[in-house]
Amino acid sequence: MNAKTFDERSAKTGNEGEYSMIIERVTSLKQNQIIRLIEDSKTEGHRFGQIFMDEYSGNNRFDRPGESLYVAREEDMVIGICGLNIDPYLDQIDVGRVRRFYVLSKCRGNGVGKQLLLTIVDEAKQHFKKLTLYTENPIAEKLYISMGFSRVEGIHNVSHILNFEEQLIRD
């Protein structure tokens, strides 16, 4: 497994002090490894866990060329997850998509999501020309915009896009 360790500047727990977080690529995942995420999403009224497990046990294993799945861990506990797929809604193999991004509610606002998303963006740059996603969550949208995504309309199942080719021109 590829693992990146982030120091206390990258993620903080607020009142509990500072902690280290590890972001690692996973190639196999069982439901019991993300049970806290599944339960947390249910309490918030989301279906993240059920959708993720249905897809993951089916045909979305994040294992096609350019695809990957990462988890954020604090010690042995998975506190966040984010996947990268070839965009299943567009008929273009050079477009990636942020999929099944979720951070445990008690860990939000501490850099966990940002580090997961940075990891996915870095990975996507190696394989895709663009990265898409869909969200209706205004808090998540703020993170995406801060990371360089642009809001778009008129593209099926896409609310935001990050065009790596345009970034190269600007840089």
Side-chain angles (χ1 to χ4, degrees):
M1 284 185 210
N2 298 336
K4 296 180 181 179
T5 304
F6 297 94
D7 65 23
E8 60 277 356
R9 292 182 311 256
S10 300
K12 298 181 181 177
T13 58
N15 295 337
E16 298 172 9
E18 299 174 349
Y19 68 96
S20 291
M21 168 185 59
I22 295 173
I23 305 281
E24 64 183 347
R25 185 175 186 165
V26 292
T27 55
S28 97
L29 196 61
K30 293 184 174 32
Q31 184 169 341
N32 67 345
Q33 293 174 290
I34 61 166
I35 195 68
R36 285 185 180 95
L37 298 179
I38 293 170
E39 291 171 354
D40 192 61
S41 74
K42 280 183 189 175
T43 63
E44 294 188 322
H46 302 296
R47 295 180 34 231
F48 158 80
Q50 187 62 49
I51 293 170
F52 176 84
M53 291 313 300
D54 287 350
E55 286 184 1
Y56 191 72
S57 61
N59 62 358
N60 186 8
R61 305 283 300 171
F62 300 91
D63 59 359
R64 295 186 306 174
E67 296 186 340
S68 54
L69 181 63
Y70 286 87
V71 296
R73 293 184 190 274
E74 180 185 16
E75 297 178 8
D76 290 334
M77 184 171 74
V78 174
I79 59 173
I81 191 167
C82 192
L84 173 63
N85 282 135
I86 296 170
D87 193 312
Y89 303 107
L90 304 176
D91 192 21
Q92 301 172 13
I93 61 168
D94 60 350
V95 179
R97 186 175 183 97
V98 176
R99 297 292 301 270
R100 306 301 165 230
F101 187 16
Y102 192 83
V103 174
L104 205 58
S105 60
K106 73 176 187 174
C107 298
R108 293 183 194 146
N110 296 309
V112 176
K114 183 176 183 177
Q115 292 302 330
L116 273 168
L117 191 56
L118 277 170
T119 302
I120 290 294
V121 168
D122 286 346
E123 181 83 14
K125 284 179 183 178
Q126 298 174 40
H127 304 281
F128 303 108
K129 292 180 181 177
K130 298 175 184 175
L131 186 59
T132 64
L133 62 92
Y134 182 82
T135 189
E136 294 179 352
N137 181 322
I139 296 169
E141 181 176 38
K142 287 180 184 178
L143 173 63
Y144 297 130
I145 296 295
S146 76
M147 301 285 292
F149 284 84
S150 299
R151 186 135 184 56
V152 295
E153 293 183 21
I155 303 174
H156 180 63
N157 284 333
V158 175
S159 63
H160 295 79
I161 192 164
L162 181 59
N163 189 332
F164 300 126
E165 293 176 329
E166 284 181 13
Q167 279 189 325
L168 290 174
I169 294 169
R170 282 190 241 142
D171 290 346

